[in-house]
Amino acid sequence: MKKEALIVRLFFAKMKPAFFQLSEEEQRQFMARDRANLDALGMKAISMIDCTQSDDEWEYIGVESWPSMEAVKEREKFENEELKISRYVEYKVHLGVEKSFEEYGQPQ
C-alpha cells in the first residue's frame, strides 16, 4: 500500500492594524483558538521564521506539515469562517507535497 504524501503548506503573514486594535486579552484568545485548531487538525510546524527585523513585506514565514488535504481544507474553512483571518492578517499560502532532497542534483 502506497503511503500518502504529506501536504506541506508554506505561508507568508503580516499582521494588519485591526489585530493590534484588539485588546491584549483578545489577541491572546485569537492566538489560542488558532493554535487549538492547528493542533486538532494534526498540523506539525516544520519551521517558523520571524522576519520582522529584515523584511518589510512579511513578518513571518512558516512551513507546516499536514496529514491530508482534508485537514488543510478544514483549516481554510476555520480561518475564513471562525477566525475571519483576512480581517487581522495579510497572508498568502502555497501548498505542495513532501519530496526528498536526497536525489536532487545527484549523478544518475
Side-chain angles (χ1 to χ4, degrees):
M1 176 189 253
K2 184 179 176 187
K3 181 182 170 190
E4 183 178 335
L6 290 175
I7 305 301
V8 176
R9 186 170 96 147
L10 171 67
F11 73 85
F12 300 81
K14 183 174 188 173
M15 305 312 283
K16 290 183 175 180
F19 180 78
F20 298 106
Q21 291 171 356
L22 297 172
S23 69
E24 286 185 26
E25 180 58 27
E26 290 169 322
Q27 289 177 15
R28 276 194 291 278
Q29 289 175 0
F30 179 93
M31 290 185 286
R33 288 178 61 216
D34 187 30
R35 178 60 186 261
N37 179 261
L38 293 167
D39 291 345
L41 292 174
M43 184 281 293
K44 302 288 185 229
I46 296 171
S47 184
M48 175 71 109
I49 303 161
D50 181 340
C51 303
T52 54
Q53 301 298 312
S54 60
D55 189 333
D56 291 334
E57 184 175 7
W58 301 108
E59 294 176 344
Y60 300 98
I61 300 171
V63 183
E64 306 165 336
S65 176
W66 290 81
S68 66
M69 271 309 293
E70 291 78 25
V72 171
K73 288 177 183 176
E74 285 185 49
R75 174 60 187 177
E76 290 171 350
K77 182 177 180 184
F78 177 80
E79 287 174 337
N80 293 324
E81 295 177 9
E82 301 291 324
L83 284 182
K84 302 194 183 323
I85 200 163
S86 62
R87 180 177 185 188
Y88 301 107
V89 183
E90 178 183 341
Y91 67 100
K92 70 177 179 177
V93 172
H94 297 280
L95 296 176
V97 293
E98 185 176 57
K99 185 163 172 81
S100 173
F101 194 70
E102 293 292 319
E103 295 177 17
Y104 175 79
Q106 298 294 328
Q108 302 263 336

